[in-house]
Amino acid sequence: IFFRKTKMAAAFNSSFSSGFGVGGTSASPPTSSLAGGLSGYNASGGANSFGSTSYSNSTTASSIAKFGNGASSFAGASSMSPPTGAAGVAGVTSGEWDLSNTKQITNEDAESMPKFEVTRAADGSLTKAAEILNKLGDSWPHKFAICHSAKVNSYYLMAKVSQPLSLSDAREDYRKFDKSNGAKAIKTRNKEERQKNPLERQLQKTLVGQKNAILSVSGQIRRKENGWHSSNHPLVFLFLGSSGIGKTELAKQVANYIHGDNAEGFIRIDMTEYQNQHEVSKFIGAPPGYAGYDDGGQLTKRLRRCPNAVVLFDEVEKAHPDILTCLLQTFDEGRLTDGKGELVECMDATFVMTSNLGQREIADEAVRVRAQMKDSQDPDAIEPIQDSFKDKVIQPLLKHHFKRDEFIGRINEILFFLPFTHEQLKALARADLTKWKETAYDRHKISITWDNDVEELMVKAYNLRFGVRSIQHEVERKVVSKLAQAHENDHIGNGTQVKLACNPNIPGEISMYKVDTSKADK
Ligand SMILES: Nc1ncnc2c1ncn2[C@@H]1O[C@H](COP(=O)(O)OP(=O)(O)O)[C@@H](O)[C@H]1O
Ligand SMILES: [Mg+2]
């Protein structure tokens, strides 16, 4: 026992002496507080009493107090059973993250390194950071972490206890950081990277039309990346529009922009699977003693693995009201409580809900806006949706459906996905034909060209209910399957040039002509 207490004293000692840097004050602790920490060995909160007596009204009080708490659970856990109910790093063994090796650094120092954004600072933000780091385990491969505390709006450098704290070590450590290795870790793109590859450009490369939505989303994401957003709530979008016009695709592309090919950066939840009240447990995990307890919730489990994921709630209007209550808590507080009663932090997540609500009204509005823009020659012009349309048509519709004003109030931006114009549909047909042209060449060395009226024919298949997929299916049915058959029968093959055209005798059919290259070669 004596030996353990000695170790404890050492732990508290080092924690306290550097712990003050954490809180951002320079006062040194009165010696009596150490005794407080020691006597609090068995009952968590000894260190706590120090914080609350000496610093009860300062802004740093709660972080110091919690820090004390965390330290006591930390030390306690390494030598005896973990304390119950402690908010600190319970269950942590030595050599892991705590707050004993932490110092404040400048914004410039923090800018270029991957960070934790500990924006949820309700109970001592840096304690939280240590907790998260410990939970991440190997997916945070550094010995160092840069943590941002929204509470005091400052950056801190944190190191594992056995490491000496030095900024140059941290830089070196991060330099060795292998992207694939650290993909799961919370990463923010640095400024240079953002300027080189603006989100708008990436989105416009993959999506036809939907310029309003692309620009709004990019603007919001940029504000967040640059720190021009409210740090009290996560970012929440509602994408409205008919099926198959790019809502899911846009969310996916945003995830791709933020997380690259890390699959955990995109969480898609089909809300049609959550239409009944009992499905809440599938969402956030079942409470202890219930079936499925060990599985965890679809949302909470995945958010824990990637707290700044892009989370898509598809067809949100289908969800049960109790699920919406979960969502509201999440959107409002930036965290949610799972079935086990544990908090899942998600202040840095980007939430996207999609819905078909109002699709008819939006289509009508698009017709009206486009009629007004007729004079404009610019095919790329933004199609401005009036605020009055949002206020008078969409808001009442959403209120009627969701019944709850506060739910709608927590949405940062409602974005409208407009039906495609004829030109946009042709661009979509062209993009799909081009995709197959590339496949044909890469796999079979077959070259393909086509007439303008082939694109027109594909556009005719467009069906509002299925969106872009109806064009993709038409291309497969009328073009790709024919090519495949001709290839199978050796009519075309390596080196063949094929021209596609509308069949003059059978309306709606495509004909293939083999271009004779032998003359050209000679
Ligand atoms: N605006 C668009 N530009 C290019 N492709 C699109 C666009 N909208 C839809 N698509 C294509 O159609 C598919 C289905 O679109 P999706 O985004 O899932 O539609 P929804 O609006 O129903 O979420 C996408 O995977 C993509 O291939
Ligand atoms: Mg979708």
Side-chain angles (χ1 to χ4, degrees):
I1 297 283
F2 177 74
F3 174 66
R4 279 183 192 157
K5 282 206 177 184
T6 314
K7 263 189 14 192
M8 282 288 305
F12 272 114
N13 211 341
S14 67
S15 308
F16 274 128
S17 50
S18 53
F20 266 88
V22 173
T25 72
S26 54
S28 59
T31 42
S32 64
S33 66
L34 266 180
L38 273 173
S39 61
Y41 167 49
N42 283 323
S44 76
N48 214 348
S49 64
F50 149 67
S52 54
T53 51
S54 308
Y55 290 89
S56 52
N57 287 323
S58 82
T59 49
T60 58
S62 71
S63 62
I64 291 174
K66 280 300 178 195
F67 159 56
N69 220 340
S72 73
S73 25
F74 165 65
S78 60
S79 52
M80 47 188 303
S81 61
T84 49
V89 279
V92 168
T93 51
S94 66
E96 299 204 7
W97 301 92
D98 70 358
L99 297 189
S100 59
N101 220 346
T102 302
K103 78 174 180 197
Q104 192 169 349
I105 58 170
T106 64
N107 291 4
E108 292 76 61
D109 280 334
E111 174 67 27
S112 64
M113 298 188 245
K115 292 178 275 295
F116 282 102
E117 297 290 340
V118 191
T119 43
R120 197 69 210 171
D123 54 359
S125 51
L126 294 174
T127 306
K128 203 94 234 173
E131 257 178 64
I132 297 171
L133 283 164
N134 280 321
K135 266 189 201 141
L136 278 180
D138 289 343
S139 61
W140 184 261
H142 301 297
K143 301 182 195 80
F144 301 93
I146 309 292
C147 301
H148 178 254
S149 162
K151 190 169 185 173
V152 284
N153 193 22
S154 307
Y155 287 99
Y156 295 90
L157 174 62
M158 205 180 266
K160 285 196 183 185
V161 277
S162 54
Q163 294 295 318
L165 195 56
S166 121
L167 195 59
S168 61
D169 283 356
R171 281 220 185 81
E172 189 54 32
D173 195 44
Y174 282 145
R175 226 197 313 275
K176 284 185 248 151
F177 180 61
D178 170 5
K179 264 190 187 148
S180 58
N181 206 4
K184 285 183 198 158
I186 305 167
K187 178 182 155 250
T188 50
R189 300 159 71 84
N190 67 37
K191 204 166 188 173
E192 202 181 322
E193 221 176 309
R194 296 197 299 260
Q195 283 169 348
K196 239 191 282 170
N197 183 22
L199 181 54
E200 289 88 339
R201 198 185 302 159
Q202 181 176 327
L203 294 176
Q204 276 169 335
K205 248 189 272 170
T206 42
L207 286 167
V208 172
Q210 311 309 0
K211 200 154 180 175
N212 274 315
I214 289 173
L215 294 184
S216 306
V217 167
S218 308
Q220 291 276 7
I221 299 280
R222 170 157 321 104
R223 277 178 52 190
K224 187 170 164 163
E225 282 188 318
N226 290 304
W228 292 100
H229 68 296
S230 151
S231 52
N232 301 323
H233 307 290
L235 201 47
V236 181
F237 295 104
L238 175 62
F239 289 179
L240 293 179
S242 54
S243 276
I245 58 178
K247 301 186 296 298
T248 301
E249 192 62 33
L250 179 53
K252 245 190 228 167
Q253 292 298 333
V254 170
N256 181 270
Y257 171 81
I258 299 175
H259 295 282
D261 50 13
N262 172 19
E264 292 184 349
F266 183 62
I267 302 175
R268 180 173 172 235
I269 299 195
D270 183 354
M271 298 308 261
T272 58
E273 289 173 21
Y274 298 91
Q275 306 193 29
N276 305 302
Q277 190 178 17
H278 71 265
E279 278 154 345
V280 172
S281 64
K282 207 164 70 185
F283 202 56
I284 60 168
Y290 283 78
Y293 173 70
D294 290 331
D295 300 343
Q298 284 307 312
L299 176 60
T300 46
K301 184 172 70 182
R302 295 163 76 185
L303 262 180
R304 197 163 264 141
R305 268 189 257 141
C306 186
N308 67 336
V310 174
V311 187
L312 181 71
F313 299 116
D314 243 340
E315 301 192 53
V316 70
E317 79 279 359
K318 306 252 168 59
H320 187 275
D322 285 5
I323 300 272
L324 293 183
T325 306
C326 279
L327 291 188
L328 181 60
Q329 185 208 348
T330 312
F331 297 166
D332 201 43
E333 298 175 9
R335 55 185 187 176
L336 80 166
T337 312
D338 69 7
K340 298 180 185 180
E342 283 174 22
L343 279 179
V344 182
E345 299 285 329
C346 52
M347 189 63 86
D348 293 323
T350 301
F351 294 102
V352 177
M353 299 181 280
T354 76
S355 173
N356 297 339
L357 285 174
Q359 55 172 311
R360 263 221 321 273
E361 288 79 358
I362 294 166
D364 291 347
E365 176 71 4
V367 170
R368 208 186 56 77
V369 169
R370 283 171 182 160
Q372 275 182 354
M373 292 177 46
K374 239 188 169 133
D375 309 333
S376 154
Q377 295 301 306
D378 179 7
D380 265 350
I382 300 175
E383 301 157 317
I385 299 288
Q386 302 296 320
D387 283 344
S388 63
F389 171 72
K390 297 182 193 171
D391 297 343
K392 291 199 187 116
V393 182
I394 294 300
Q395 288 285 356
L397 209 141
L398 294 178
K399 273 181 193 168
H400 176 77
H401 185 89
F402 291 110
K403 308 274 191 285
R404 321 169 57 158
D405 291 3
E406 73 273 25
F407 183 73
I408 300 156
R410 257 309 293 131
I411 298 168
N412 294 81
E413 249 185 284
I414 298 176
L415 300 178
F416 301 101
F417 285 64
L418 308 188
F420 298 111
T421 63
H422 187 77
E423 278 313 305
Q424 287 170 342
L425 288 173
K426 264 179 77 177
L428 285 160
R430 198 175 309 132
D432 203 51
L433 285 164
T434 304
K435 185 191 81 188
W436 283 109
K437 172 194 168 112
E438 286 165 6
T439 306
Y441 192 80
D442 292 347
R443 287 202 196 139
H444 311 293
K445 295 284 170 290
I446 296 171
S447 308
I448 300 173
T449 55
W450 59 85
D451 287 343
N452 174 58
D453 53 359
V454 171
E455 287 173 13
E456 292 286 358
L457 184 65
M458 298 300 116
V459 166
K460 275 200 192 126
Y462 185 70
N463 178 326
L464 260 177
R465 252 184 79 198
F466 302 110
V468 177
R469 284 205 190 89
S470 49
I471 295 182
Q472 295 169 344
H473 287 159
E474 186 77 345
V475 170
E476 282 179 42
R477 212 162 59 89
K478 292 206 168 148
V479 176
V480 183
S481 55
K482 276 203 175 152
L483 287 166
Q485 200 178 17
H487 184 229
E488 164 93 11
N489 296 332
D490 289 329
H491 294 318
I492 58 176
N494 197 331
T496 316
Q497 276 191 25
V498 180
K499 185 169 163 77
L500 307 170
C502 287
N503 187 325
N505 304 317
I506 315 170
E509 284 297 307
I510 297 284
S511 304
M512 296 186 302
Y513 302 93
K514 238 158 106 171
V515 181
D516 188 358
T517 50
S518 55
K519 289 173 209 134
D521 284 350
K522 280 174 190 165

